[in-house]
Amino acid sequence: MHHQNPMDQLGIHIGRIDSAFDQWIHKQGLSYASFAVLYTLATAEGGSCTQKRICEEWFLSKQTVFSICKGLIDKGLLELHESHQDRRERLLQLTPAGLAHAMPLAERARAFGTAVFQAFGQERAAQLLAEMDALSTLMERTINTNDASGKGS
């Protein structure tokens, strides 16, 4: 067996974490996109947010988020409101029935995260997240300069 370079190893670990998270979401009876919409709205400050925010935070297409939202609106779980800041923008907000549906999901997600990170250890978790942040920043910086293999901006 040959040793993989660190970027390959990182990709493998990110894939495993992603897969584990997908398995957990699947056990909740949801797709990744449905979970993203419900969780974000259940935990949003003030109880509402835009479609754009969900797309950006969860790396989902506008079309995907729109179709999930349409389904939730049809089931009476979600409403659209006009934004006071920008009239062209619509704020998504769960109805009382939507909140009753999404809050237990958000609680289970928090409990899952808490259990994982308690077992992992607070100090290790803080270190891991700080290092991941530093690596992400470095990768973004490298992409935006000329030192990434051959092709620069």
Side-chain angles (χ1 to χ4, degrees):
M1 176 165 148
H2 70 286
H3 292 284
Q4 292 167 319
N5 73 49
M7 198 56 88
D8 290 348
Q9 289 179 24
L10 179 67
I12 289 166
H13 291 300
I14 288 170
R16 284 181 63 199
I17 290 168
D18 213 27
S19 173
F21 191 51
D22 277 346
Q23 286 174 47
W24 184 86
I25 289 170
H26 187 72
K27 279 188 165 185
Q28 310 310 304
L30 294 167
S31 69
Y32 177 83
S34 296
F35 173 80
V37 171
L38 290 167
Y39 180 81
T40 303
L41 288 168
T43 58
E45 209 172 303
S48 66
C49 77
T50 62
Q51 252 182 247
K52 184 180 178 194
R53 178 182 149 197
I54 296 171
C55 293
E56 288 171 357
E57 282 183 14
W58 295 85
F59 301 96
L60 292 166
S61 73
K62 272 171 76 171
Q63 187 53 52
T64 300
V65 174
F66 177 79
S67 75
I68 299 289
C69 290
K70 187 172 176 349
L72 293 171
I73 290 167
D74 292 346
K75 288 180 188 161
L77 301 177
L78 182 69
E79 315 174 306
L80 293 177
H81 297 284
E82 206 173 76
S83 169
H84 298 299
Q85 282 85 33
D86 183 351
R87 296 201 97 126
R88 293 164 303 176
E89 208 165 55
R90 296 279 178 262
L91 288 177
L92 308 171
Q93 188 163 18
L94 293 169
T95 62
L99 275 171
H101 178 70
M103 289 313 272
L105 173 69
E107 289 306 316
R108 289 193 304 273
R110 272 197 210 102
F112 173 69
T114 299
V116 168
F117 280 104
Q118 269 180 348
F120 192 66
Q122 210 173 344
E123 208 172 299
R124 281 173 77 195
Q127 221 175 336
L128 174 70
L129 296 173
E131 293 293 348
M132 287 178 81
D133 184 51
L135 183 61
S136 301
T137 301
L138 188 60
M139 287 175 79
E140 290 160 357
R141 220 177 273 151
T142 303
I143 290 165
N144 294 319
T145 61
N146 286 329
D147 53 13
S149 66
K151 292 194 172 153
S153 49

